[in-house]
Amino acid sequence: MADTTPPPLLTVRDLGVTFPTPRGPVRAVDSLSFDVPHGRTLGIVGESGSGKSVTSLAVMGLHTGAEVTGSVALDGRELVGLPDRELNRLRGRRMAMIFQDPLSSLHPYHTVGEQIAEHHRVHFGTRRAAARARAIEALAEVGIPEPKRRAGAYPHQFSGGMRQRVMIAMALVCEPDLLIADEPTTALDVTVQAQILDLLARLQQERRLSVVMITHDLGVVARVAHEVLVMYGGRAVEQAPVDALFAAPAHPYTRGLLDSLPRLDDPDDVPLRAIPGTPPSLLDPAPGCAFAPRCARAAAGTPEERNRCADERPVLTGRDGRTAACHFAALPAVAHEGTAP
Ligand SMILES: Nc1ncnc2c1ncn2[C@@H]1O[C@H](COP(=O)(O)OP(=O)(O)OP(=O)(O)O)[C@@H](O)[C@H]1O
Ligand SMILES: [Mg+2]
């Protein structure tokens, strides 16, 4: 039977981002490849400094002063190297981003209604009254009570959770195909966090949006993602459908992340199992596996195995969206089939 699967909306191939610094080039993202199909959510996880935000900014074409290599294609159109004028047209209209801290991306002296309306006007040339009506609709869609009145309020007059809803309204008012959310709920308490994640999941389904959800929180990934990309030291170390990842993590780093999640059945006096050690230096990367110095599997290996981890960089192996970069990855022989669309 012919394969009728449509091509993915976003295709990232061999992405590299290098920052020149006084101490030498910092390779923040290296050899990164992933797809985001239409109507699906990719969760990108990894600890602080693993390259999640640098990746999302590279997709949006927002890196200035960095060397970006490889390919980022949106609906088949190459974005790396596109002039700023063309990128500006795509940003907001075809792809939008939600940042962790809404106050840094909302203007303090303009009402939220004006800001959302202006965004619509810029991209569609909408007349003022129509843009204003569209802004009020967008606020209603994200669950802002009394949207007509609240459109006239300033960002500081909203609570953190409401501001994050405003950001989502702003990101979605131009009906983009791709939404990148970089830690959108980290600053919120757990109840509000759950509401925002549910809102994003609902909008994603209704609009068949493609979403990249960036987080260091595996609980967030479990709640919203279809596929997961685990990053370590600027590289992908594991890629898997979400249920396969939680059922059987293949990479020791992913296993460490899962083990460090608090569990309800833990006795009160058991300390959380953090992964020992610190993230790798990106200035002077080791020749072998970046995770090896912290890896329980490497430490338990024979001297030959330990040498291999220290000297030989593992490449991603596996198939059907289930891959891991570890010489001793515990990959299942048959690909998991539970999450096909
Ligand atoms: N403009 C820059 N110049 C030099 N290095 C940078 C720059 N921006 C980011 N980096 C480095 O790139 C690496 C990845 O940063 P990034 O912000 O992507 O991490 P992250 O995974 O988003 O972490 P967090 O969870 O803390 O947000 C870090 O080591 C950071 O210091
Ligand atoms: Mg970040």
Side-chain angles (χ1 to χ4, degrees):
M1 212 171 70
D3 183 7
T4 51
T5 318
L9 174 71
L10 180 71
T11 308
V12 173
R13 287 294 172 270
D14 212 15
L15 182 69
V17 182
T18 307
F19 296 100
T21 74
R23 295 171 59 210
V26 166
R27 188 118 177 111
V29 171
D30 193 16
S31 313
L32 190 66
S33 299
F34 60 87
D35 290 339
V36 188
H38 290 270
R40 304 285 283 181
T41 298
L42 172 74
I44 302 187
V45 279
E47 62 199 332
S48 190
S50 57
K52 307 181 298 294
S53 294
V54 169
T55 301
S56 54
L57 294 173
V59 170
M60 295 290 289
L62 287 172
H63 278 303
T64 46
E67 186 201 359
V68 179
T69 53
S71 163
V72 174
L74 184 73
D75 236 352
R77 181 168 187 201
E78 181 57 54
L79 304 187
V80 173
L82 211 61
D84 242 1
R85 201 167 41 88
E86 306 216 7
L87 274 171
N88 271 335
R89 220 175 291 158
L90 294 173
R91 279 193 290 257
R93 177 68 195 87
R94 299 290 318 274
M95 53 183 186
M97 188 157 170
I98 305 173
F99 296 90
Q100 176 172 347
D101 173 14
L103 269 189
S104 66
S105 16
L106 288 170
H107 198 289
Y109 300 154
H110 296 283
T111 67
V112 302
E114 281 166 0
Q115 295 186 56
I116 298 172
E118 180 61 16
H119 195 52
H120 201 265
R121 249 167 45 75
V122 164
H123 283 286
F124 291 102
T126 332
R127 287 175 180 277
R128 260 175 222 287
R132 188 172 150 71
R134 187 67 197 93
I136 293 168
E137 262 172 44
L139 288 172
E141 277 172 71
V142 296
I144 301 277
E146 297 184 74
K148 201 166 175 182
R149 187 174 69 79
R150 299 297 277 166
Y154 292 88
H156 71 268
Q157 295 173 311
F158 287 79
S159 69
M162 285 295 162
R163 268 199 295 265
Q164 203 51 283
R165 286 174 192 265
V166 169
M167 285 306 299
I168 295 171
M170 176 111 102
L172 297 185
V173 71
C174 295
E175 308 204 349
D177 306 306
L178 175 70
L179 176 68
I180 301 182
D182 189 355
E183 307 261 10
T185 58
T186 308
L188 305 173
D189 72 56
V190 285
T191 319
V192 180
Q193 167 168 336
Q195 290 168 359
I196 298 287
L197 293 175
D198 288 348
L199 168 69
L200 277 172
R202 178 173 63 77
L203 293 169
Q204 190 251 341
Q205 274 191 346
E206 283 173 9
R207 300 185 177 200
R208 259 181 71 75
L209 261 177
S210 299
V211 175
V212 177
M213 172 65 74
I214 293 182
T215 177
H216 59 265
D217 184 344
L218 279 168
V220 171
V221 165
R223 199 172 183 117
V224 300
H226 300 110
E227 284 85 30
V228 189
L229 162 67
V230 183
M231 289 187 71
Y232 187 79
R235 290 168 161 258
V237 294
E238 181 159 2
Q239 289 175 300
V242 68
D243 50 358
L245 187 98
F246 280 86
H251 195 286
Y253 176 61
T254 317
R255 241 172 288 148
L257 285 180
L258 284 171
D259 284 345
S260 57
L261 283 177
R263 267 179 253 158
L264 282 177
D265 55 359
D266 276 343
D268 288 345
D269 55 351
V270 171
L272 284 182
R273 294 154 291 255
I275 302 173
T278 50
S281 161
L282 302 173
L283 267 174
D284 185 19
C289 171
F291 186 58
R294 303 170 69 186
C295 179
R297 173 63 185 83
T302 62
E304 291 76 30
E305 286 177 345
R306 283 204 297 276
N307 284 343
R308 189 167 176 216
C309 295
D311 298 336
E312 186 189 326
R313 181 167 293 166
V315 292
L316 278 174
T317 50
R319 62 195 180 92
D320 298 340
R322 185 81 176 94
T323 57
C326 171
H327 297 308
F328 308 104
L331 277 172
V334 179
H336 192 87
E337 292 179 336
T339 59

